[in-house]
Amino acid sequence: MKTCDAKLKGLGQNRGSQLHEKGSEKKNRKPACKLAIFYFSGGVKSMHEAQIEQMLAMNITPLELFYTEVRDVISTARTKAYKTEVLVRSVSLGDLNASQYQPTANRSNQCIAVAMWALTQICREITELVAAEQDMDWYSIHIPLKFIEKADMEATLRTVFEAEEFKYRDKLMLEFPPEAIYLDTEVLKAAINGAKNAGVRCMLTGVGSENYPVIRLASLPLDMVQTHESVAQSFRDEEEAVNAAALVTYLRSISLKVLVTGIGADEDAIAAGLERLGCSGMITPTPATYNVQYMLDEIARERGDLLAETMQAYKEEADIETPTEENAPVETDVPEENAPVETDVPEDPNPEENAPVETDVSEDPNPEENTSVGTGVPDGPNPEDPNPEENAPVGTDVPEDPNPEQTPADDDAPAEIVLTKELPPLV
């Protein structure tokens, strides 16, 4: 079996190869239903069921939604919304974009089948994107003329929303083609009101082309309009810029949001002018196109990068607060400011002899008078001394006073020495 890239021929070959590479990472995402897909060979024909099975076996979905960025006029690098486009994959012709298949498909009811698939699929994908915390103002899908004329818009939308349990109706935008302005006004108003009753918004494209009946827009309850590419070209011309600005001013005066097509992301001067005029967004001449799996992968990657940066910052902060073994401070023997200085005193070999004598005797104010030098008086207390505790030499065991109450209360007062026996004369 040959690969899909080998079979891409004719229309859309280059674009098909490019988009197929972007969608190659899809994880067996099958279409919502096996529609009778059309291909172009002598008119519109139904694709055989076996061909659909063959495409699914090759991991190719017959229909797939691709998203086009809508930039913010204030910050042109910011994506604020997405327009979608149904990509038709044909085995014989490759991947066909809307501009290639819609002129033929719109002549039959196949365009209604494609629109129903797109409506069902975008409900599922918006739910996935919102669950992934993608914050966009809206997502649009193309609604063909036959769908507007034949379908009961409100009933159809409510049926799909209930079947898909779709909760984010305010993020869905129905995109009507430029030819819708020439439909019967009551028919178009009924379709728009039905969509608004179901909780979704509506946008008309191609506004501002040559001989466009802009006066009819005042009677339509639209939410937004997308300008024709010629309007962007007029903004680049000094003389025509006045007319382009007058068109935007009129659209804003009838409470319509304006989306300008064809302004480059590097045209800051024009973008600043669009901001002053009150435009809601712009589409670049060559906008980026993604499928839902690519966007989900990008969201996961950005979230992973943010988590990795947060963890790295947390780790660096933790390394500063808790030093590791490598960068831990070296312990030194330098004493702290108020800490006692430890000195290396040699150990005393005779601790008992050199130990300080503990006595309970108060300090003698006249140590020279009370010191017996060479008197021959034996060491120890005098048995005839009435105050043995006061006159006892240092280092002697003085017996306990039997009358502690008679001890003078003031320890600091000098003791009076009374000699009851004369000492022998000094030799």
Side-chain angles (χ1 to χ4, degrees):
M1 181 181 294
K2 297 181 180 180
T3 61
C4 178
D5 288 338
K7 293 184 178 182
L8 293 177
K9 298 178 181 178
L11 294 174
Q13 182 173 4
N14 295 333
R15 179 178 172 83
S17 301
Q18 179 185 3
L19 295 180
H20 177 65
E21 290 177 0
K22 290 184 178 180
S24 60
E25 299 179 1
K26 291 180 65 60
K27 303 174 182 178
N28 298 324
R29 296 177 58 86
K30 295 186 177 182
C33 56
K34 295 180 180 179
L35 298 173
I37 309 301
F38 51 87
Y39 68 103
F40 302 91
S41 178
V44 179
K45 299 181 180 179
S46 296
M47 181 181 288
H48 194 270
E49 187 76 10
Q51 289 180 301
I52 297 178
E53 294 294 342
Q54 179 185 3
M55 295 174 71
L56 294 177
M58 297 167 64
N59 195 25
I60 303 172
T61 54
L63 297 179
E64 188 172 4
L65 278 178
F66 275 81
Y67 293 74
T68 300
E69 294 177 328
V70 176
R71 302 291 185 89
D72 191 356
V73 295
I74 300 176
S75 176
T76 56
R78 174 181 174 266
T79 302
K80 65 176 301 181
Y82 282 102
K83 286 166 56 70
T84 64
E85 176 182 313
V86 177
L87 185 73
V88 176
R89 288 198 165 102
S90 169
V91 175
S92 60
L93 298 177
D95 293 349
L96 305 176
N97 58 34
S99 62
Q100 294 168 336
Y101 68 77
Q102 279 182 357
T104 303
N106 288 340
R107 296 198 297 263
S108 71
N109 290 334
Q110 284 287 357
C111 64
I112 298 179
V114 174
M116 285 297 298
W117 177 89
L119 181 60
T120 302
Q121 189 67 15
I122 199 171
C123 290
R124 299 176 181 181
E125 295 186 4
I126 289 176
T127 302
E128 289 183 84
L129 293 170
V130 172
E133 299 181 359
Q134 185 185 76
D135 185 17
M136 293 293 149
D137 292 350
W138 47 266
Y139 304 82
S140 71
I141 58 167
H142 174 75
I143 301 296
L145 290 178
K146 287 187 178 293
F147 195 103
I148 299 173
E149 293 175 320
K150 296 184 177 182
D152 185 339
M153 188 66 70
E154 181 178 357
T156 303
L157 292 174
R158 291 187 181 278
T159 300
V160 174
F161 294 160
E162 292 176 4
E164 298 298 326
E165 298 181 355
F166 184 59
K167 302 177 182 179
Y168 309 103
R169 303 180 185 185
D170 59 325
K171 290 188 175 295
L172 181 59
M173 179 88 72
L174 301 186
E175 180 183 323
F176 299 148
E179 298 80 13
I181 193 66
Y182 301 106
L183 291 176
D184 182 86
T185 304
E186 296 302 321
V187 173
L188 184 56
K189 287 176 64 175
I192 297 172
N193 287 325
K196 295 175 77 69
N197 292 338
V200 302
R201 291 176 280 179
C202 299
M203 173 173 61
L204 186 61
T205 62
V207 174
S209 60
E210 188 176 1
N211 300 323
Y212 191 88
V214 292
I215 196 66
R216 299 190 65 183
L217 295 173
S219 61
L220 300 175
L222 293 165
D223 296 282
M224 180 178 289
V225 292
Q226 177 184 333
T227 63
H228 191 264
E229 294 180 356
S230 61
V231 177
Q233 189 62 33
S234 298
F235 274 111
R236 299 185 181 95
D237 187 277
E238 293 183 1
E239 297 180 358
E240 295 293 332
V242 177
N243 296 330
L247 172 64
V248 174
T249 303
Y250 168 72
L251 297 174
R252 294 292 297 130
S253 68
I254 58 176
S255 303
L256 291 176
K257 295 182 179 180
V258 181
L259 177 64
V260 181
T261 306
I263 302 298
D266 56 343
E267 296 181 285
D268 296 334
I270 298 179
L274 296 178
E275 179 187 357
R276 289 192 296 269
L277 292 172
C279 293
S280 299
M282 66 182 194
I283 301 176
T284 59
T286 56
T289 305
Y290 315 102
N291 61 13
V292 66
Q293 189 60 47
Y294 179 86
M295 291 197 295
L296 290 173
D297 292 342
E298 284 296 302
I299 294 172
R301 183 188 62 79
E302 292 175 1
R303 186 181 300 168
D305 292 346
L306 180 61
L307 179 61
E309 293 176 2
T310 304
M311 293 300 295
Q312 181 65 24
Y314 176 79
K315 182 179 179 182
E316 292 176 358
E317 183 179 353
D319 290 342
I320 295 174
E321 294 180 356
T322 307
T324 58
E325 295 181 358
E326 297 180 357
N327 56 12
V330 180
E331 296 183 0
T332 60
D333 295 334
V334 179
E336 296 181 5
E337 185 176 352
N338 299 323
V341 180
E342 296 180 1
T343 57
D344 297 333
V345 181
E347 186 177 352
D348 191 351
N350 300 315
E352 296 180 0
E353 296 179 3
N354 299 325
V357 179
E358 297 180 359
T359 61
D360 295 334
V361 181
S362 59
E363 186 178 353
D364 192 348
N366 301 312
E368 295 181 359
E369 297 179 2
N370 300 329
T371 305
S372 57
V373 181
T375 58
V377 180
D379 295 336
N382 190 352
E384 298 179 4
D385 192 348
N387 299 316
E389 185 176 351
E390 297 179 0
N391 300 326
V394 178
T396 60
D397 296 332
V398 180
E400 250 181 62
D401 190 352
N403 300 317
E405 296 179 358
Q406 298 178 3
T407 304
D410 190 0
D411 295 334
D412 295 334
E416 184 180 356
I417 301 174
V418 180
L419 297 179
T420 59
K421 185 178 180 180
E422 293 184 1
L423 296 176
L426 296 176
V427 180

Coordinates of all heavy atoms in Angstrom, one line a residue, residues 102-153:
Q102 N -15.4 24.4 -1.9 CA -16.7 25.0 -1.6 C -17.5 25.5 -2.9 O -18.7 25.3 -2.9 CB -16.5 26.2 -0.7 CG -16.4 25.8 0.8 CD -16.3 27.0 1.7 OE1 -16.2 28.1 1.3 NE2 -16.2 26.7 3.0
P103 N -16.8 26.0 -3.9 CA -17.6 26.4 -5.1 C -18.4 25.3 -5.7 O -19.5 25.5 -6.2 CB -16.5 26.9 -6.1 CG -15.4 27.4 -5.2 CD -15.4 26.4 -4.0
T104 N -17.9 24.1 -5.7 CA -18.6 22.9 -6.2 C -19.6 22.4 -5.1 O -20.7 22.0 -5.4 CB -17.6 21.8 -6.6 OG1 -16.7 22.4 -7.6 CG2 -18.4 20.7 -7.2
A105 N -19.1 22.3 -3.9 CA -19.9 21.6 -2.9 C -21.2 22.5 -2.6 O -22.2 21.9 -2.2 CB -19.1 21.5 -1.6
N106 N -21.1 23.8 -2.7 CA -22.2 24.6 -2.4 C -23.4 24.5 -3.3 O -24.5 24.9 -3.1 CB -21.8 26.1 -2.3 CG -20.9 26.4 -1.1 OD1 -21.0 25.7 -0.1 ND2 -20.2 27.5 -1.2
R107 N -23.2 23.8 -4.5 CA -24.2 23.6 -5.4 C -25.1 22.3 -5.1 O -26.1 22.1 -5.8 CB -23.7 23.4 -6.8 CG -23.0 24.7 -7.3 CD -22.8 24.6 -8.8 NE -22.0 23.5 -9.3 CZ -20.7 23.7 -9.6 NH1 -20.1 24.9 -9.4 NH2 -20.0 22.7 -10.0
S108 N -24.7 21.6 -4.0 CA -25.4 20.4 -3.6 C -25.7 20.4 -2.1 O -25.1 21.3 -1.4 CB -24.7 19.2 -4.0 OG -23.5 19.0 -3.2
N109 N -26.4 19.4 -1.7 CA -26.7 19.3 -0.2 C -25.5 18.7 0.5 O -25.5 18.6 1.8 CB -27.9 18.5 0.0 CG -29.2 19.2 -0.4 OD1 -29.2 20.4 -0.4 ND2 -30.2 18.4 -0.8
Q110 N -24.4 18.4 -0.2 CA -23.2 17.9 0.5 C -22.6 19.0 1.4 O -22.0 18.7 2.5 CB -22.1 17.5 -0.5 CG -22.4 16.1 -1.2 CD -22.2 15.0 -0.2 OE1 -21.7 15.2 0.9 NE2 -22.5 13.8 -0.7
C111 N -22.8 20.2 1.1 CA -22.3 21.3 1.9 C -23.0 21.3 3.3 O -22.4 21.7 4.3 CB -22.4 22.6 1.2 SG -24.1 23.1 0.9
I112 N -24.3 20.9 3.3 CA -25.0 20.8 4.6 C -24.4 19.7 5.4 O -24.3 19.9 6.7 CB -26.5 20.6 4.3 CG1 -27.1 21.8 3.6 CG2 -27.2 20.4 5.7 CD1 -28.6 21.7 3.3
A113 N -24.1 18.6 4.8 CA -23.5 17.5 5.5 C -22.2 17.8 6.1 O -21.9 17.5 7.3 CB -23.4 16.2 4.6
V114 N -21.4 18.6 5.4 CA -20.0 19.0 5.9 C -20.2 20.0 7.0 O -19.5 19.9 8.0 CB -19.2 19.6 4.7 CG1 -17.9 20.2 5.3 CG2 -18.9 18.6 3.7
A115 N -21.2 20.9 6.9 CA -21.4 21.9 7.9 C -21.9 21.2 9.2 O -21.5 21.6 10.3 CB -22.5 22.9 7.5
M116 N -22.8 20.2 9.1 CA -23.2 19.4 10.3 C -22.1 18.7 10.9 O -22.0 18.7 12.2 CB -24.3 18.5 9.9 CG -25.7 19.1 9.6 SD -26.3 19.9 11.1 CE -26.5 18.6 12.2
W117 N -21.2 18.1 10.1 CA -20.0 17.5 10.7 C -19.1 18.5 11.4 O -18.7 18.3 12.6 CB -19.2 16.8 9.6 CG -17.9 16.2 10.2 CD1 -17.8 14.9 10.7 CD2 -16.7 16.8 10.3 NE1 -16.5 14.7 11.1 CE2 -15.8 15.9 10.9 CE3 -16.2 18.1 10.0 CZ2 -14.5 16.1 11.2 CZ3 -14.8 18.3 10.3 CH2 -14.0 17.4 10.9
A118 N -18.9 19.7 10.8 CA -18.1 20.7 11.4 C -18.7 21.2 12.7 O -18.0 21.5 13.7 CB -17.9 21.9 10.4
L119 N -20.0 21.4 12.7 CA -20.7 21.9 13.9 C -20.5 20.9 15.1 O -20.3 21.2 16.2 CB -22.2 22.1 13.6 CG -23.1 22.6 14.8 CD1 -22.5 24.0 15.3 CD2 -24.5 22.7 14.3
T120 N -20.7 19.6 14.8 CA -20.6 18.6 15.8 C -19.1 18.5 16.3 O -18.8 18.4 17.5 CB -21.0 17.2 15.2 OG1 -22.3 17.3 14.8 CG2 -20.9 16.1 16.3
Q121 N -18.2 18.5 15.3 CA -16.8 18.4 15.7 C -16.2 19.6 16.5 O -15.5 19.4 17.4 CB -15.9 18.2 14.4 CG -14.5 17.8 14.6 CD -14.3 16.4 15.2 OE1 -15.3 15.6 15.2 NE2 -13.2 16.2 15.8
I122 N -16.7 20.8 16.1 CA -16.1 21.9 16.8 C -16.6 22.0 18.3 O -16.0 22.5 19.2 CB -16.5 23.3 16.1 CG1 -15.5 24.4 16.6 CG2 -17.9 23.7 16.3 CD1 -15.6 25.6 15.8
C123 N -17.8 21.5 18.5 CA -18.3 21.4 19.9 C -17.4 20.5 20.7 O -17.1 20.8 21.9 CB -19.8 20.8 19.9 SG -21.0 22.0 19.3
R124 N -17.0 19.4 20.1 CA -16.1 18.5 20.9 C -14.7 19.1 21.1 O -14.1 19.0 22.2 CB -15.9 17.2 20.1 CG -17.3 16.4 19.9 CD -17.1 15.2 19.0 NE -18.3 14.5 18.8 CZ -18.5 13.4 18.1 NH1 -17.4 12.8 17.5 NH2 -19.6 12.8 18.0
E125 N -14.2 19.8 20.0 CA -12.9 20.3 20.1 C -12.8 21.5 21.0 O -11.8 21.7 21.7 CB -12.3 20.6 18.7 CG -12.2 19.3 17.9 CD -11.5 19.6 16.5 OE1 -11.1 20.7 16.3 OE2 -11.4 18.6 15.8
I126 N -13.8 22.4 21.0 CA -13.9 23.5 22.0 C -13.9 23.0 23.4 O -13.2 23.5 24.3 CB -15.1 24.4 21.7 CG1 -14.9 25.2 20.4 CG2 -15.3 25.4 22.8 CD1 -16.1 26.0 20.0
T127 N -14.6 21.9 23.6 CA -14.6 21.3 25.0 C -13.2 20.9 25.4 O -12.8 21.1 26.5 CB -15.6 20.2 25.0 OG1 -16.9 20.6 24.7 CG2 -15.7 19.6 26.4
E128 N -12.5 20.3 24.5 CA -11.1 19.8 24.7 C -10.2 21.0 25.0 O -9.4 21.0 25.9 CB -10.6 19.0 23.6 CG -11.2 17.6 23.4 CD -10.6 16.8 22.3 OE1 -9.5 16.2 22.5 OE2 -11.1 16.9 21.2
L129 N -10.3 22.0 24.2 CA -9.4 23.2 24.3 C -9.7 24.0 25.6 O -8.8 24.4 26.3 CB -9.6 24.1 23.1 CG -9.1 23.5 21.8 CD1 -9.5 24.4 20.6 CD2 -7.6 23.3 21.8
V130 N -11.0 24.1 26.0 CA -11.3 24.8 27.2 C -10.8 24.0 28.4 O -10.3 24.5 29.4 CB -12.8 25.1 27.3 CG1 -13.2 25.6 28.7 CG2 -13.3 26.0 26.2
A131 N -11.0 22.6 28.3 CA -10.5 21.8 29.4 C -9.0 21.9 29.6 O -8.4 21.7 30.7 CB -10.9 20.3 29.1
A132 N -8.3 22.2 28.4 CA -6.8 22.4 28.5 C -6.5 23.8 28.8 O -5.3 24.2 28.8 CB -6.2 22.0 27.1
E133 N -7.5 24.6 29.2 CA -7.3 26.0 29.7 C -6.8 26.9 28.6 O -6.0 27.9 28.8 CB -6.3 26.0 30.9 CG -6.8 25.2 32.1 CD -5.9 25.3 33.3 OE1 -4.8 26.0 33.1 OE2 -6.2 24.7 34.3
Q134 N -7.2 26.7 27.4 CA -7.0 27.7 26.3 C -8.1 28.7 26.4 O -9.3 28.4 26.3 CB -7.0 27.0 24.9 CG -6.6 28.0 23.8 CD -6.7 27.4 22.5 OE1 -7.8 27.2 21.9 NE2 -5.6 27.0 21.8
D135 N -7.7 30.0 26.6 CA -8.6 31.1 26.8 C -8.7 31.9 25.5 O -7.9 32.8 25.2 CB -8.1 31.9 27.9 CG -9.2 33.0 28.3 OD1 -10.3 32.9 27.9 OD2 -8.8 34.0 29.0
M136 N -9.7 31.6 24.7 CA -10.0 32.4 23.4 C -11.3 33.0 23.5 O -12.3 32.5 24.2 CB -9.9 31.4 22.2 CG -8.5 30.9 22.0 SD -7.4 32.2 21.5 CE -5.8 31.6 22.1
D137 N -11.5 34.1 22.8 CA -12.8 34.8 22.8 C -13.9 34.0 22.0 O -15.0 33.9 22.5 CB -12.6 36.2 22.1 CG -11.8 37.1 22.9 OD1 -11.5 36.8 24.1 OD2 -11.4 38.2 22.4
W138 N -13.5 33.4 20.9 CA -14.5 32.6 20.1 C -13.8 31.7 19.1 O -12.6 31.9 18.8 CB -15.5 33.6 19.4 CG -14.9 34.7 18.7 CD1 -14.7 36.0 19.1 CD2 -14.3 34.7 17.3 NE1 -14.1 36.8 18.2 CE2 -13.9 36.0 17.1 CE3 -14.2 33.8 16.3 CZ2 -13.3 36.4 15.9 CZ3 -13.7 34.1 15.1 CH2 -13.2 35.4 14.9
Y139 N -14.5 30.8 18.6 CA -14.1 29.9 17.5 C -15.3 29.9 16.5 O -16.4 29.7 16.9 CB -13.9 28.5 18.0 CG -12.9 28.3 19.2 CD1 -13.3 28.6 20.5 CD2 -11.6 28.0 18.9 CE1 -12.4 28.4 21.5 CE2 -10.7 27.8 20.0 CZ -11.1 28.1 21.3 OH -10.2 28.0 22.3
S140 N -14.9 30.1 15.2 CA -16.0 30.2 14.2 C -16.0 29.0 13.3 O -14.9 28.4 13.1 CB -15.8 31.5 13.4 OG -14.6 31.4 12.6
I141 N -17.1 28.7 12.7 CA -17.3 27.7 11.7 C -18.1 28.3 10.5 O -18.9 29.1 10.7 CB -17.9 26.4 12.2 CG1 -19.3 26.7 12.7 CG2 -17.1 25.7 13.2 CD1 -20.2 25.4 13.0
H142 N -17.8 27.8 9.3 CA -18.4 28.3 8.1 C -19.8 27.7 8.0 O -20.0 26.4 8.1 CB -17.6 27.9 6.9 CG -18.2 28.3 5.6 ND1 -18.4 29.5 5.1 CD2 -18.9 27.5 4.7 CE1 -19.0 29.5 4.0 NE2 -19.3 28.3 3.7
I143 N -20.8 28.5 7.7 CA -22.2 28.0 7.5 C -22.5 28.4 6.0 O -22.6 29.6 5.7 CB -23.2 28.7 8.4 CG1 -22.8 28.4 9.9 CG2 -24.6 28.2 8.1 CD1 -22.9 26.9 10.3
P144 N -22.8 27.4 5.2 CA -23.1 27.7 3.7 C -24.5 28.3 3.6 O -25.3 28.2 4.4 CB -22.9 26.3 3.1 CG -23.2 25.3 4.2 CD -22.7 25.9 5.4
L145 N -24.7 28.8 2.3 CA -26.0 29.4 2.0 C -27.2 28.4 2.2 O -28.2 28.7 2.7 CB -26.0 30.0 0.6 CG -25.1 31.2 0.4 CD1 -25.1 31.7 -1.0 CD2 -25.5 32.4 1.3
K146 N -27.0 27.2 1.7 CA -28.1 26.2 1.7 C -28.5 25.9 3.1 O -29.6 25.6 3.4 CB -27.7 24.9 0.9 CG -27.7 25.1 -0.6 CD -27.4 23.8 -1.3 CE -27.5 24.0 -2.8 NZ -28.8 24.4 -3.3
F147 N -27.5 25.9 4.0 CA -27.8 25.6 5.4 C -28.7 26.8 6.0 O -29.6 26.5 6.8 CB -26.5 25.5 6.2 CG -26.6 24.9 7.6 CD1 -26.3 23.6 7.9 CD2 -27.2 25.7 8.7 CE1 -26.4 23.1 9.1 CE2 -27.3 25.1 9.9 CZ -26.9 23.8 10.1
I148 N -28.4 28.0 5.6 CA -29.1 29.1 6.1 C -30.6 29.1 5.5 O -31.5 29.4 6.3 CB -28.5 30.5 5.7 CG1 -27.1 30.5 6.3 CG2 -29.3 31.7 6.1 CD1 -26.2 31.7 5.8
E149 N -30.7 28.7 4.3 CA -32.0 28.7 3.6 C -32.9 27.5 4.1 O -34.1 27.7 4.2 CB -31.8 28.7 2.1 CG -31.2 29.9 1.5 CD -30.9 29.8 0.1 OE1 -30.5 28.7 -0.4 OE2 -31.1 30.8 -0.7
K150 N -32.3 26.4 4.3 CA -33.2 25.2 4.4 C -33.3 24.7 5.9 O -34.3 24.1 6.3 CB -32.6 24.0 3.6 CG -32.7 24.3 2.1 CD -32.2 23.1 1.3 CE -32.3 23.3 -0.2 NZ -31.9 22.1 -1.0
A151 N -32.3 24.9 6.7 CA -32.2 24.4 8.1 C -33.0 25.3 9.0 O -32.9 26.5 8.9 CB -30.8 24.2 8.5
D152 N -33.6 24.7 10.0 CA -34.1 25.4 11.1 C -33.0 25.7 12.1 O -32.6 24.8 12.8 CB -35.3 24.6 11.8 CG -35.9 25.4 12.9 OD1 -35.3 26.4 13.4 OD2 -37.1 25.1 13.3
M153 N -32.4 26.9 12.1 CA -31.1 27.1 12.7 C -31.2 26.8 14.2 O -30.4 26.1 14.8 CB -30.7 28.6 12.5 CG -29.3 28.9 13.0 SD -28.0 28.1 12.1 CE -28.2 28.9 10.5

